[in-house]
Amino acid sequence: PPGEKAFELCGHAPEPTTMRAALSLLLVSTTVDAFSVSGLGVVRPARAATPAMQTIAPERESTIPDSLPSSWTVPDTFSLADLKEPPMYRLTLFRSGDAVHMANALLDVIPLEKEKAVEVADTAARVGLSLVGVWEQGLCETYSEELRRGYNIACDVSKAE
């Protein structure tokens, strides 16, 4: 056989069992590419089969439109009208019983100093009406409703000029 002559040139002839083992190993290594045979019959996974993370991502083409669609409008998020202070309203107290009752109602409903509540109640008892304070409309109306419903005190809310 032609293979034997090549070995004879080296000075020694191959053993038939060695040749069979080499051919078997060659066949196994070409048919099983996920594993490599090493050592004494130990089968280990080949390096190509081990999981690895991808570290480089493909470049992505960015598509930025040249202009915005004609239907798109920029929302107005800033307006000078927002900087204006809201209109202020006056709360006027009318004589509704004695000064002590009116002063206690004012202290319960509105965050006033005791001296201010007594002064407003005394003026309303003597003159017939007194300015309690000036607030935004919603707060002023809330105070007025609470004084009317909870304490039966007559009062009025009017726009401050």
Side-chain angles (χ1 to χ4, degrees):
E4 287 182 22
K5 288 183 182 177
F7 283 107
E8 287 176 9
L9 292 175
C10 296
H12 63 277
E15 297 265 333
T17 55
T18 306
M19 185 62 112
R20 242 181 272 141
L23 284 175
S24 299
L25 183 60
L26 181 63
L27 287 174
V28 168
S29 66
T30 57
T31 57
V32 181
D33 57 350
F35 295 95
S36 65
V37 179
S38 64
L40 300 173
V42 178
V43 178
R44 294 188 184 139
R47 288 196 185 266
T50 57
M53 290 181 47
Q54 179 178 354
T55 57
I56 299 175
E59 296 259 346
R60 181 182 202 175
E61 286 187 35
S62 62
T63 55
I64 299 173
D66 293 336
S67 63
L68 295 172
S70 61
S71 62
W72 192 78
T73 58
V74 178
D76 186 15
T77 57
F78 179 77
S79 173
L80 292 177
D82 295 340
L83 298 177
K84 293 180 183 177
E85 290 192 26
M88 303 303 280
Y89 286 79
R90 287 188 292 243
L91 178 62
T92 305
L93 180 70
F94 297 106
R95 185 182 306 135
S96 305
D98 64 340
V100 174
H101 171 69
M102 289 188 290
N104 286 334
L106 289 172
L107 288 171
D108 287 346
V109 174
I110 303 170
L112 293 175
E113 298 290 329
K114 183 178 179 181
E115 295 78 25
K116 172 74 173 170
V118 169
E119 178 187 335
V120 169
D122 283 341
T123 304
R126 281 185 289 110
V127 179
L129 62 100
S130 180
L131 176 65
V132 179
V134 180
W135 295 279
E136 292 180 8
Q137 183 179 9
L139 187 59
C140 201
E141 288 175 353
T142 300
Y143 290 157
S144 173
E145 284 296 314
E146 186 64 30
L147 288 170
R148 282 188 206 135
R149 290 182 185 191
Y151 297 93
N152 199 24
I153 292 183
C155 49
D156 178 59
V157 174
S158 59
K159 191 168 186 175
E161 313 234 353

